[in-house]
Amino acid sequence: MAVTSSGTATVTLPTDEQILITREFDAPKNLVYKAWTTPELVRRWWSANRGEMTVAEIDLRVGGMWRYAMVADGGFEVAFHGEYREIVPNERIVLTEVYEGIPDAEAEAEAALNTLTLTEEDGRTTLTNLVEHRNKEGRDAHIDSGMEAGMQDAMDLLEQVAITLR
Amino acid sequence: MNDLVGVLGLAQPQVSKHLRVLREVGAVDVRDKGRQRFYRLNGHALKPIHDWVKNYERSWSERFDRLDAVLEELKEKEEGDGSDE
């Protein structure tokens, strides 16, 4: 049986400090977990269509660090890092996330707490990623960064259109 | 109103309070019919929030589309191996 794409991500804002991302996958949860926690697999999806992933470090144990970096198509680097706080294989990961684009001292204090949850039913997995910021400003800035990325997409499309018109 | 109390599992005064705030900012419209009040979502007022979140949502959708492709490969590999690892 051919199964079509599982659809788009859903983003909601449960509170002023939170972002909740939800998506269903046509795969069992152990595979989603594997794709989420194996560096060479993360490299293939995390940067989406927005650039080349240059760093994917995962020290998957409580207290272990992770760091992801990508070079966006515009040439600038975007990097994040954090620490694993809780790990339940195939089911749940709690980690901190720091955006390296803001000054160090400030960034650590502004770290978000992310909770990834995987639940499986009939071979399909529902993934939820709850991002909890310290305050509304941090949360809003996080969403604004997606806005900029969206603008970048729009510019890329515009460029493609412009090339076809040449 | 009674429907909302049932769905939300909150006490009626709390629900009234939330609805009053939503009405004040224009997120819901209200209509009186006899002794009942009917509330309706005002999509137009919510659009700026939707637009704001949309681009962020799209970046995750793109990621997950790629993750779908990775998962397809992992599934095929597992079937080929006939084992879990």
Side-chain angles (χ1 to χ4, degrees):
Chain A
M1 184 180 69
V3 180
T4 52
S5 166
S6 309
T8 57
T10 304
V11 172
T12 57
L13 310 174
T15 71
D16 276 353
E17 295 81 27
Q18 295 176 331
I19 305 170
L20 179 65
I21 302 135
T22 310
R23 169 69 139 78
E24 198 180 307
F25 293 92
D26 180 29
K29 65 183 180 181
N30 66 309
L31 294 187
V32 179
Y33 186 81
K34 192 174 183 177
W36 198 276
T37 55
T38 309
E40 50 282 24
L41 297 177
V42 170
R43 280 175 180 276
R44 294 178 46 195
W45 61 266
W46 187 78
S47 61
N49 306 323
R50 293 156 193 254
E52 182 82 16
M53 199 162 175
T54 49
V55 180
E57 292 169 358
I58 295 176
D59 182 10
L60 194 62
R61 57 192 172 91
V62 174
M65 301 294 290
W66 65 274
R67 184 168 188 266
Y68 294 174
M70 65 175 270
V71 175
D73 293 333
F76 59 93
E77 186 180 69
V78 188
F80 300 84
H81 71 262
E83 184 185 324
Y84 294 102
R85 291 286 171 84
E86 195 186 323
I87 297 167
V88 182
N90 301 332
E91 285 182 9
R92 181 179 152 91
I93 301 174
V94 181
L95 52 78
T96 61
E97 177 176 19
V98 176
Y99 171 52
E100 297 181 8
I102 47 180
D104 277 359
E106 202 181 321
E108 298 300 332
E110 294 287 320
L113 190 70
N114 297 4
T115 303
L116 174 81
T117 313
L118 303 174
T119 49
E120 184 180 325
E121 205 181 323
D122 298 328
R124 294 174 72 85
T125 301
T126 300
L127 176 154
T128 64
N129 190 23
L130 178 67
V131 181
E132 296 176 273
H133 282 273
R134 304 288 175 91
N135 49 51
K136 187 174 187 299
E137 290 69 31
R139 194 280 308 266
D140 289 357
H142 187 153
I143 291 176
D144 285 341
S145 70
M147 189 72 119
E148 284 159 26
M151 278 300 292
Q152 187 59 48
D153 275 5
M155 293 303 164
D156 292 348
L157 280 174
L158 186 61
E159 190 180 18
Q160 282 171 23
V161 172
I163 287 169
T164 63
L165 293 176
R166 229 177 359 203
Chain B
M1 169 71 94
N2 288 334
D3 291 346
L4 284 170
V5 169
V7 171
L8 296 170
L10 295 172
Q12 174 148 355
Q14 278 177 290
V15 174
S16 294
K17 197 176 154 194
H18 282 294
L19 284 170
R20 194 183 68 234
V21 174
L22 291 172
R23 203 174 67 223
E24 281 169 7
V25 300
V28 296
D29 296 325
V30 65
R31 183 166 55 92
D32 285 318
K33 194 177 178 188
R35 288 172 54 233
Q36 286 185 297
R37 296 202 117 174
F38 291 89
Y39 291 87
R40 192 180 62 183
L41 266 183
N42 179 3
H44 189 72
L46 296 171
K47 191 171 180 300
I49 298 172
H50 175 77
D51 288 346
W52 179 50
V53 173
K54 195 174 58 187
N55 282 312
Y56 178 74
E57 189 172 81
R58 193 167 61 194
S59 66
W60 276 100
S61 288
E62 287 176 11
R63 255 180 203 174
F64 289 152
D65 287 347
R66 289 221 173 175
L67 184 50
D68 276 337
V70 173
L71 289 170
E72 278 308 309
E73 265 189 40
L74 290 178
K75 279 201 293 187
E76 279 169 27
K77 204 171 149 213
E78 248 192 11
E79 279 165 21
D81 288 353
S83 72
D84 204 42
E85 273 305 306

